[in-house]
Amino acid sequence: MTSTSTFGCPHCGKPNPLAATFCGACGAYLLGLDAAEMTRKSNPPADDEPVFQPRNDAPTPPSDPAQTQPWLRPDFDQPESERPDSERPGSERPNPPERGRPSPDDQPWLRADSDAQPTDPPPRPAPQRLVGGLQGLIEPIEIDQSLFRPESAGPTRSALDDLPYETRRELRQLFATDVPILEDPAQENPEVGLSAGQGRGLWRRNWIYGLLLAALLLGLWFANATPDSRPHSWPGVSAAYSAIDSLSADAVVLVNWAYDPSNAGEMDLAALPVIEHLLEKGARLLVVSQLPGGPATARRLIAVARTGASQAALSRQLGDTLVEGGYLPGGVASLPLLGQAPVQSVPVDMQGRAVGNRAAIRALATDSPALLLILAARSEEVQRWIEQVQSLDDAPIVAVTSAAVDPAIRPYVDSGQIVGLVSGYAGGIEYQTLMADVLTTSGQESQRRHITGQNWALVVLLLVVAVGSLAGLAERREP
Amino acid sequence: MFAQRSPWINRIALLIVALVAGLLFVDRLGDGFNSDLPTRPIANLLYTWALLLSAFTLILGVFHLLWTHLDRIQQGSQEWPLSLLLVVAFVLVLVAGFAASGGVTSPLLEWTFDALIAPGQATLFALTGFFVVAAAYRYLRLGSPGGLWILAGALITLLVQTPLSQQALPPVATQFADWLLLVPVMAVMRGALLGGALAVLFAGVRLFFGPKG
């Protein structure tokens, strides 16, 4: 047995190596704890087991974690002039903690005797910041009450304070628990003598890898999606189609190309039918991007859309109807100008020609664009345009997003700030269906490939979930 | 904030920030009432400055990056060949962009984008699939804390979204998945959005009027 190589974290209970500086689960500062005592508390050693002794040649830990981690000080936000004299740099603290041990005032849960006093929880320091807690994960987030009552300097209490100390500790353990999987049994039980990749029952990694590989190969081998199979699309696609279909000829559309090749695999499938529809309608596009790789990605997809456009649309596109605004730096700070004065925000295009003289978007000098089209792989890009651009030019927004962004954007669809939403490749296929286009043979083959791929991805995921659950259940039965 | 500087400098800096914020606020307020206020040209000028400033910071960042990696090469730091690779790639792309007649749309840079940047980014992002599989194996478990609810939500969404399974499911399952997205999930997202907006608002109020501002 190698039980003396770890000890339980006094904060969350997670086993940690004796040499650990921070807890691997909750991040509590562990350096300088009395490791031998903590080891005895968590794992009582056998009589013949050696007890951990700190090495003499180990680096000397800091006497106070607040020296190396000043953010641990409760008065971290206060200016120097407002701190007590004893806490200013260069001054001696009245009662310096023992060398090698973190200050219990800063981290009360590190007290070795904290578990022995379940009815007397350690005092909590009053929060000095706007919000407290570790992202609200371990303990609920707290709003600093001094913001509303500057005079009240007393400590605030949360609902957790009313719980027994053991219950609070269990809650911390619950949120810090990591499901142990795929532990190499040969490491835990050297006497078993199994090599990595082997093990008991469901721990056999080779089995899992083999199943995954087999499912992938089967998916590639049997491309058997039926021609009429369609993915389920979320609401909002038909509204997006109607908004674009109602555009008049030569309407100016301001396009935010907020994805680059990293997301193009999914985004192109959703964006292509929308761009094709805009070209068919003869819309004039001013394309800008706030990603360095965005303009080049846009140029490629628009070229693909043009190859699929009808002759009538191509003849209309012979005019100067596409303006590549290029890369727009500045993040959110540059967007209000795009909403108030687009031509001033994009003075020249990618070829260095002045945008203000282009007949295609001359209407933007006096009027708002007829439509804002946002092609985004992140929800923040859509939110920024709603807040900083649409609020100034009042143009309707159609968003084309990845499927993962859909839930974060849908409240804006429900409120009417976004008139249409096409999300993921399912939305793209639904949009293509609405266009009533007769797909070419290659288009049908491409669509069938994607649907087949998603079908088999589902099979793989279901397989993985089933194996994982069985492994978890089997693990709980272990003695 | 500004604790190490003179109080007068602190106050002047805060005054400038407050003036700019107030001017932009008044400008946006006038836009909300559909009235053209005289603040519009000043606001546009400030926005243009922000645009120019951000472009300048990009150039500054490039110089800093080069300086850092040239220093690493000169010092012979660990993994200095990678720094050398970065500098060589930077110089090659820069020369190609300036030397070619088409600038950023020249065939050479287009080839660089198509053959190097796009496949590299797509490859890195494709690794997400493996992370998803690993996460599904680790956390979509019946025995893990809260795993049943997460597993149920993930399964219903997956089964409804996938053509293979959707054809076999009754319509009520699809309606239930739509309801999940449109009611509970949307409520949670609205709460998060409103909470985030309120937090920003209170942070701004505290910055300007707080006792430590």
Side-chain angles (χ1 to χ4, degrees):
Chain A
M1 292 285 286
T2 56
S3 61
T4 54
S5 61
T6 61
F7 72 100
C9 168
H11 184 217
C12 68
K14 173 85 175 179
N16 284 277
L18 287 178
T21 305
F22 298 100
C23 173
C26 69
Y29 190 70
L30 304 177
L31 197 62
L33 284 176
D34 192 342
E37 183 182 346
M38 299 306 299
T39 306
R40 281 195 300 273
K41 284 171 70 65
S42 56
N43 296 310
D47 293 341
D48 55 346
E49 271 186 0
V51 178
F52 171 80
Q53 294 294 339
R55 293 183 306 174
N56 290 332
D57 58 345
T60 306
S63 60
D64 184 357
Q67 291 181 3
T68 55
Q69 304 169 83
W71 52 85
L72 290 179
R73 288 204 301 261
D75 58 350
F76 176 61
D77 286 343
Q78 294 182 2
E80 292 286 339
S81 58
E82 296 183 12
R83 294 181 192 168
D85 291 341
S86 59
E87 294 185 4
R88 291 185 188 174
S91 63
E92 292 292 332
R93 301 187 69 167
N95 294 311
E98 184 182 346
R99 185 174 183 79
R101 185 185 295 273
S103 167
D105 293 336
D106 293 334
Q107 304 179 59
W109 56 82
L110 294 184
R111 288 176 179 161
D113 58 346
S114 60
D115 287 341
Q117 299 173 351
T119 57
D120 187 17
R124 297 163 57 85
Q128 294 296 320
R129 305 184 181 195
L130 181 62
V131 294
L134 185 61
Q135 289 93 43
L137 291 179
I138 295 180
E139 293 174 345
I141 199 163
E142 293 176 346
I143 303 295
D144 185 0
Q145 297 298 317
S146 65
L147 180 68
F148 310 102
R149 300 190 304 274
E151 314 81 48
S152 65
T156 58
R157 291 181 61 81
S158 69
L160 272 186
D161 292 333
D162 298 330
L163 297 174
Y165 186 69
E166 282 303 322
T167 307
R168 281 190 283 133
R169 181 164 178 151
E170 285 177 6
L171 282 174
R172 286 200 299 266
Q173 288 178 343
L174 178 68
F175 284 106
T177 297
D178 190 10
V179 182
I181 58 154
L182 284 179
E183 297 293 345
D184 189 355
Q187 291 179 0
E188 292 185 353
N189 301 306
E191 65 273 11
V192 175
L194 297 176
S195 62
Q198 296 178 325
R200 297 183 301 258
L202 292 168
W203 275 279
R204 298 190 177 196
R205 301 181 188 182
N206 291 341
W207 276 103
I208 298 171
Y209 294 155
L211 283 172
L212 290 176
L213 187 64
L216 287 171
L217 290 177
L218 281 173
L220 294 174
W221 186 259
F222 299 104
N224 60 350
T226 56
D228 58 341
S229 62
R230 292 276 186 278
H232 173 63
S233 176
W234 304 114
V237 180
S238 58
Y241 177 84
S242 301
I244 292 179
D245 203 53
S246 62
L247 289 176
S248 61
D250 299 334
V252 178
V253 178
L254 185 56
V255 182
N256 173 23
W257 209 280
Y259 74 90
D260 56 12
S262 60
N263 306 103
E266 180 189 13
M267 286 298 302
D268 279 354
L269 297 172
L272 183 60
V274 178
I275 297 295
E276 282 178 344
H277 194 193
L278 284 170
L279 294 181
E280 290 287 341
K281 295 296 294 182
R284 298 178 169 186
L285 309 180
L286 171 57
V287 182
V288 296
S289 177
Q290 295 201 292
L291 298 175
T297 311
R299 199 176 314 123
R300 276 147 188 77
L301 191 77
I302 291 174
V304 171
R306 278 183 161 171
T307 59
S310 65
Q311 279 302 115
L314 283 178
S315 64
R316 285 197 299 270
Q317 294 297 319
L318 288 178
D320 195 11
T321 56
L322 173 66
V323 178
E324 295 180 275
Y327 173 59
L328 190 68
V332 70
S334 62
L335 290 181
L337 190 61
L338 198 61
Q340 293 184 161
V343 178
Q344 191 175 339
S345 175
V346 188
V348 292
D349 64 4
M350 295 277 286
Q351 286 75 31
R353 295 173 293 184
V355 167
N357 300 330
R358 306 285 290 276
I361 57 169
R362 192 168 292 158
L364 280 184
T366 54
D367 295 329
S368 298
L371 184 76
L372 298 177
L373 176 64
I374 305 172
L375 308 156
R378 296 191 313 145
S379 60
E380 292 85 357
E381 303 285 352
V382 185
Q383 290 166 355
R384 285 176 181 175
W385 271 58
I386 292 172
E387 293 164 0
Q388 305 296 337
V389 180
Q390 190 205 31
S391 62
L392 292 170
D393 60 17
D394 297 326
I397 287 182
V398 167
V400 179
T401 67
S402 62
V405 170
D406 186 301
I409 294 303
R410 198 150 288 279
Y412 297 102
V413 181
D414 193 53
S415 67
Q417 290 168 285
I418 296 177
V419 297
L421 176 61
V422 182
S423 63
Y425 97 108
I429 289 179
E430 176 76 15
Y431 199 98
Q432 214 155 26
T433 307
L434 290 172
M435 286 175 69
D437 272 351
V438 179
L439 281 177
T440 60
T441 307
S442 63
Q444 288 176 347
E445 178 60 25
S446 170
Q447 188 168 308
R448 194 173 67 87
R449 241 188 358 257
H450 286 116
I451 292 175
T452 302
Q454 198 192 16
N455 286 341
W456 280 100
L458 173 72
V459 173
V460 170
L461 269 178
L462 290 180
L463 200 64
V464 167
V465 169
V467 172
S469 290
L470 286 174
L473 292 174
E475 187 179 61
R476 293 171 69 182
R477 292 182 182 176
E478 289 292 320
Chain B
M1 190 177 186
F2 308 120
Q4 304 298 324
R5 299 178 187 168
S6 160
W8 282 106
I9 295 178
N10 294 354
R11 288 173 186 173
I12 290 172
L14 283 175
L15 186 64
I16 292 173
V17 172
L19 280 176
V20 170
L23 190 141
L24 296 179
F25 178 75
V26 169
D27 182 61
R28 296 294 286 267
L29 202 63
D31 192 81
F33 289 106
N34 292 322
S35 61
D36 285 335
L37 296 178
T39 54
R40 177 57 51 89
I42 307 174
N44 281 354
L45 183 68
L46 289 172
Y47 289 138
T48 310
W49 284 358
L51 200 61
L52 292 173
L53 198 64
S54 55
F56 179 74
T57 55
L58 272 181
I59 298 172
L60 203 63
V62 167
F63 277 114
H64 179 71
L65 182 78
L66 275 180
W67 182 265
T68 302
H69 285 276
L70 286 173
D71 188 56
R72 282 169 56 98
I73 295 168
Q74 189 185 16
Q75 301 288 337
S77 304
Q78 194 178 11
E79 297 180 342
W80 66 268
L82 295 178
S83 297
L84 181 64
L85 185 66
L86 183 141
V87 173
V88 169
F90 172 80
V91 171
L92 284 179
V93 175
L94 190 71
V95 169
F98 277 117
S101 58
V104 292
T105 56
S106 66
L108 186 56
L109 281 189
E110 294 280 336
W111 177 85
T112 305
F113 184 86
D114 288 335
L116 298 175
I117 298 174
Q121 287 190 355
T123 303
L124 285 178
F125 193 74
L127 295 176
T128 309
F130 294 95
F131 285 115
V132 168
V133 169
Y137 181 81
R138 291 174 68 94
Y139 293 108
L140 292 183
R141 289 185 173 187
L142 291 172
S144 60
L148 179 63
W149 295 104
I150 300 175
L151 184 61
L155 279 185
I156 187 71
T157 308
L158 273 175
L159 293 174
V160 165
Q161 278 259 276
T162 308
L164 184 69
S165 53
Q166 193 210 354
Q167 292 171 346
L169 287 175
V172 68
T174 307
Q175 292 165 4
F176 177 67
D178 282 349
W179 177 84
L180 274 181
L181 181 72
L182 296 177
V183 181
V185 174
M186 191 185 292
V188 170
M189 291 309 302
R190 276 186 171 169
L193 291 170
L194 287 173
L198 286 174
V200 171
L201 184 65
F202 276 110
V205 169
R206 177 173 175 152
L207 175 68
F208 283 112
F209 303 112
K212 298 167 191 170

